[in-house]
Amino acid sequence: MSAPISRPLSRRDFLRYSGTVSAAAAITAAVSACSGPASTSSVGAGGDKDLVTAVIGYGNDQSWDPTMTASAFSMAGLNHVYEGLVDTDPITREPYPALATALPADTSATTWKFTLRTDAKWHDGQPVTVDDVLFTFERVLDPKAKVLTYSFFETWLKEVRKVDETTVELVFKFPFPDALQRLTIAKIMPKHVFGVSGGWDAAKGGKAVGSGPYKMTAHNPKSNTTFEAFAGYNGPRKPAIRKMNWLSIVDASARVAKISGGSAEAQIAENVPYANIDQLRKAGLTVEGGKGMNHMFLMFNTGQKPFDDVRVRQALFHAIDTKKMIDVALKGHGTPATSFLNEQNASYAKAKTVYDYDPEKAKSLLKAAGVSDLSVTLMAVNVSWLADCLPTIANSWQAIGVKTTLEPQDTSALFTKMDQSQSYQVVAAASNPNQFGLDADLILRYNYTSGGLWMKYTKWDSTADAKDLFALMAKATEESDPKKKLELVHRYLDVIAEQAVLYPVLHTELMTAWNPKRLTGIRAQAYPGIGLLQAKRI
């Protein structure tokens, strides 16, 4: 994206988890990638014990700016390249000091001090400084830049101050213990690299210079990205793998092919198709899943009638045969949404409004809204598992008399149209805020932020209902008592469920496959991407 940073257009990366290519095109691209200079041959990949070849089911051609991206490929890669003051384990989400030397002793305090790790270096050999920390947080908190991560920090973080040459102080607007896990989102970036003219454009385009365990060695958009262990890294999670080659393969069949067979090039693949799980297990691979927030949601243009009427939105949700969709399209690896949050989330509570399959209720709601002969064009991202779900939605809506036209398309193309304010009715897309964290405040601000891009897409931002919701969310954020905070969270989750402006249809399980004879220390994530900081090549 080439928009100036004063506009938050890059937030469309929230959904840009994959591109659209045919199976034949994807296989051709993958073969081309493997014959190029930055990739490897299948023989080399199998025999080189210093190298891990991984298959990522999403594009690597989106933003690599840690303050702006939500790309699954980019975020997974950046977690190996950059560090926060505090980072979190990718599975347990337990915080640990990364660039900082220790965690704060009192998380209820309104000021936290951090001392930087001695002799921490950037991948170009320059020392990490307090000024780099200030530079990063100035970017995150800049209301003019309003980067993607802005809404995750501006509600509670007032400023970041320099105490001395090795210490910084975070000043809060009110006590906010959840900040401990959230600090991992603010990846510290070198001022001397990205503070120069054109620096942020370079970051977006794929330049990555961090202080983490791995440095990026090559980046070929729509093909692959390579990494190498950083010899100057002196932090807590030292790399055990010397080199990594991450292949970007969106097509499901081509992904499976890369990890199959005795001479398979790759040792690990994520976003494994449900239909191939048994096949891969029989071939000796370990295939494990993670249940989390990953969901398909519907988003309505409430600026276009009749979608401004909540009864119409509710009707279309009630009409969907979600169980059939899960059984047929997802091979049982899904759960109908009973809240915006998935059931495994610590703040989950079943919403007062649950969209059970009830075609008669759907017809009744449409009738009450005075709507008949409704025709809907459902635009959708072409993520493989989501595309498999679309026919069930179309058949369900047509069964209640709603003529439905499906328009699946490349993710970036779809949201480019929306960025250009082209009209739409309903969008189906895939999303997973768990890439950033697990707390409810963060997850909901991912989509429901006053002035945020998603609310602008829905044209719902300025309504009285929206303003009431944002006020309730702000009250929950500031509440210090955990029990009262949770009660407020459940209240706003009920509002979001009832309004059904942007709401999940189902939550899915994400699958990862790996060769246990080649890799150890792998843990399957419940969100897109992989984490290899504790993995070893056999």
Side-chain angles (χ1 to χ4, degrees), residues 16-73:
R16 296 184 61 191
Y17 290 152
S18 79
T20 304
V21 290
S22 68
I27 293 172
T28 300
V31 171
S32 299
C34 293
S35 62
S39 190
T40 59
S41 68
S42 58
V43 175
D48 187 353
K49 291 185 178 181
D50 287 336
L51 174 69
V52 167
T53 299
V55 183
I56 310 298
Y58 309 97
N60 72 335
D61 58 340
Q62 297 155 36
S63 176
W64 283 76
D65 175 356
T67 71
M68 291 294 278
T69 194
S71 158
F73 193 116

Side-chain angles (χ1 to χ4, degrees), residues 324-340:
K324 179 179 179 181
M325 184 189 302
I326 292 170
D327 291 343
V328 175
L330 305 182
K331 311 301 181 187
H333 293 274
T335 305
T338 55
S339 168
F340 196 94

